[in-house]
Amino acid sequence: MTDCIFCKIIDREVPSYTVYEDDAVYAFLDITQTTKGHTLVIPKKHIADIFEYDEDLAQIVFSRIPKIARALEKNFPDMEGLNIVNNNKEIAYQTVFHSHIHLIPRYGADDDFSMTFKNNGELYSADDMAAIAESIRKNVSN
């Protein structure tokens, strides 16, 4: 894809700070550095989001996450945890439409990163939850 910034990074048309690379995966520092070491992991093959992965590519890309996460943990002894974030489509805050996984090291409650989830559990009865689970289960393909 000619106008994709991540494809340009992979092709070395745009500079980046490489963290990891193999034949299928490229990982580099996010220029925003939400926290120190904030890394993006991307497939070298251009795909827009999680909905375009096939099982083989998903296995390849997602199997690299623990290796890179352990490298972050080893490199930053003051790291207390790690958020793994993957936004898909604009409504879910995806801004670059080349699939990417954020690895965001956490250094404490005051490290300037937060994620909050509203608890809407009271809106759904046990029957509602069972019906939702069943409808999703029917659409999971093997």
Side-chain angles (χ1 to χ4, degrees):
M1 171 153 289
T2 58
D3 62 343
C4 173
I5 187 70
F6 288 173
C7 289
K8 289 178 180 181
I9 288 171
I10 292 164
D11 291 340
R12 306 302 198 265
E13 295 172 30
V14 172
S16 67
Y17 299 95
T18 305
V19 169
Y20 173 84
E21 182 174 15
D22 62 29
D23 290 342
V25 174
Y26 189 69
F28 57 100
L29 293 179
D30 188 306
I31 60 170
T32 69
Q33 285 299 282
T34 299
T35 63
K36 182 177 58 180
H38 178 177
T39 298
L40 299 179
V41 180
I42 65 174
K44 285 186 170 180
K45 175 183 178 183
H46 181 86
I47 60 168
D49 53 39
I50 194 71
F51 305 105
E52 292 186 9
Y53 278 83
D54 61 30
E55 287 185 22
D56 291 336
L57 184 60
Q59 181 179 18
I60 291 167
V61 173
F62 286 90
S63 71
R64 302 320 190 262
I65 301 297
K67 176 189 298 196
I68 299 165
R70 286 189 295 271
L72 288 165
E73 184 178 46
K74 186 175 184 179
N75 193 67
F76 301 114
D78 55 337
M79 189 176 105
E80 297 178 18
L82 179 78
N83 284 95
I84 299 173
V85 180
N86 177 238
N87 304 324
N88 297 279
K89 302 204 184 286
E90 190 172 353
I91 189 69
Y93 307 109
Q94 184 178 7
T95 58
V96 176
F97 297 94
H98 182 125
S99 181
H100 56 287
I101 298 98
H102 295 261
L103 304 183
I104 305 171
R106 299 304 310 277
Y107 299 98
D110 60 350
D111 65 7
D112 246 2
F113 180 76
S114 66
M115 290 180 63
T116 58
F117 298 92
K118 185 176 179 185
N119 182 348
N120 288 316
E122 72 279 352
L123 301 177
Y124 302 94
S125 69
D127 288 343
D128 294 333
M129 297 290 276
I132 292 168
E134 176 61 23
S135 66
I136 296 169
R137 193 168 37 251
K138 287 180 182 177
N139 285 296
V140 175
S141 60
N142 292 329

